[in-house]
């Protein structure tokens, strides 16, 4: 499903350069549920950004579902992402003016609404049956995260990228979110890549990829 070869992303500011991500060889099979672990700043979020085509690496190749992500232009990448990938961002990126239900339903609408699952049904499955009409500011952080999980799955993506999707939840809520995420992903046979710093979360997935990374390493 995913193959990265010799991928590097460097952020430069003036004389300074930070290696945000350096991956020699990384493969994930279709249908696998993989955790990405490693210390803060080692490049976990950057890895998901690169896989989704949101961030262009300085070198290397990224193949997702047989498509060379960076061989095509930006517009083609955007279409590919919308069709193939569901993304739970670390910062959720919910639309503040809209309810939980609208946030999920709008994601289906923007994708053409053809293959969309039922937004209310998804929210019920992540435990938010009684929060459909609440706006993000009226939800706890953990509840907002679960709205983001429902939104990421509404278009039945082949690949689910989740960036610390249980990071702000108590253990019981985290368990509920993760169970929902995995069972919904299983229903649509989605591959999961889940960034987490929680060993308990990592344990429940098929395997873990550890990003070594020297955080903030300066290069010439
Ligand atoms: P993680 O998710 O593992 O905590 P990130 O992928 O967010 O780490 O960041 C990896 C490194 O790249 C960090 O040192 C971070 O400061 C740096 N970095 C990330 N995004 C940017 C950016 N847009 N500009 C400059 N540096 C960045
Ligand atoms: Mg991160």
């Amino acid at each position: 499903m995913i193959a990265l070869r010799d991928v590097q992303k460097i952020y430069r500011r003036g004389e300074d350069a930070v290696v945000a991500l350096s991956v020699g060889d990384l493969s994930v099979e279709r249908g696998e549920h993989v955790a990405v672990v490693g210390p803060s700043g080692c490049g976990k979020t950057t890895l998901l950004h690169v896989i989704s085509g949101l961030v262009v690496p300085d070198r290397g190749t990224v193949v997702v579902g047989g498509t060379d992500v960076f061989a095509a232009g930006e517009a083609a990448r955007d279409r590919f992402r919308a069709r193939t990938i569901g993304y739970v961002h670390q910062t959720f990126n919910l639309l503040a003016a809209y309810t939980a239900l609208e946030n999920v339903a709008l994601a289906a609408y923007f994708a053409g609404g053809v293959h969309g699952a039922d937004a209310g049904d998804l929210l019920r499955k992540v435990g938010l049956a009684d929060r459909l009409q609440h706006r993000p500011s009226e939800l706890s952080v953990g509840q907002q995260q679960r709205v983001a999980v429902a939104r990421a799955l509404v278009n039945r993506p082949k690949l689910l990228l989740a960036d610390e999707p249980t990071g702000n939840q108590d253990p019981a809520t985290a368990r509920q979110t993760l169970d929902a995420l995995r069972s919904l992903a299983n229903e649509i046979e989605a591959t999961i890549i889940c960034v987490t710093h929680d060993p308990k979360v990592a344990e429940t997935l098929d395997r873990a990829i550890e990003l070594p990374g020297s955080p903030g390493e300066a290069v010439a």
Side-chain angles (χ1 to χ4, degrees):
M1 178 73 191
I2 297 171
L4 272 71
R5 299 281 175 268
D6 195 25
V7 170
Q8 195 164 62
K9 176 65 192 175
I10 298 173
Y11 285 108
R12 298 174 200 282
R13 187 182 301 162
E15 298 284 283
D16 290 337
V18 173
V19 180
L21 180 68
S22 184
V23 173
D25 200 338
L26 188 158
S27 300
V28 175
E29 298 301 319
R30 193 174 297 279
E32 262 196 305
H33 296 181
V34 175
V36 174
V37 298
S40 183
C42 73
K44 302 182 295 297
T45 294
T46 305
L47 174 66
L48 296 195
H49 282 156
V50 165
I51 290 172
S52 66
L54 286 168
V55 159
V56 185
D58 294 278
R59 67 163 204 235
T61 55
V62 178
V63 177
V64 176
T67 298
D68 184 338
V69 176
F70 297 101
E74 200 174 336
R77 274 207 300 285
D78 287 343
R79 281 194 301 276
F80 175 74
R81 186 181 318 113
R83 264 205 314 273
T84 314
I85 296 177
Y87 202 135
V88 184
H89 287 271
Q90 192 164 13
T91 49
F92 324 147
N93 300 354
L94 297 176
L95 301 171
Y98 295 92
T99 66
L101 187 63
E102 288 165 341
N103 263 278
V104 178
L106 279 171
Y109 174 75
F110 288 139
V114 184
H115 305 292
D118 183 83
D121 193 40
L122 276 174
L123 285 165
R124 281 185 275 278
K125 283 179 175 162
V126 296
L128 294 175
D130 55 352
R131 292 290 185 280
L132 302 189
Q133 303 304 334
H134 288 59
R135 294 197 171 83
S137 63
E138 298 160 343
L139 296 169
S140 74
V141 172
Q143 290 168 340
Q144 292 176 47
Q145 261 172 332
R146 282 182 279 154
V147 176
V149 167
R151 184 181 58 180
L153 287 161
V154 74
N155 294 316
R156 304 184 202 274
K158 284 273 159 264
L159 173 62
L160 177 67
L161 303 177
D163 201 344
E164 312 240 13
T166 62
N168 299 287
Q169 298 171 23
D170 62 79
T173 310
R175 171 108 235 156
Q176 187 185 16
T177 304
L178 199 69
D179 285 350
L181 190 148
R182 279 167 37 224
S183 73
L184 294 172
N186 273 333
E187 274 175 32
I188 55 175
E189 297 176 7
T191 305
I192 300 178
I193 304 198
C194 178
V195 167
T196 182
H197 58 257
D198 184 346
K200 286 210 183 70
V201 171
E203 267 171 28
T204 65
L205 302 169
D206 297 336
R207 68 180 168 104
I209 293 172
E210 180 143 17
L211 282 188
S214 335
E217 179 196 356
V219 295

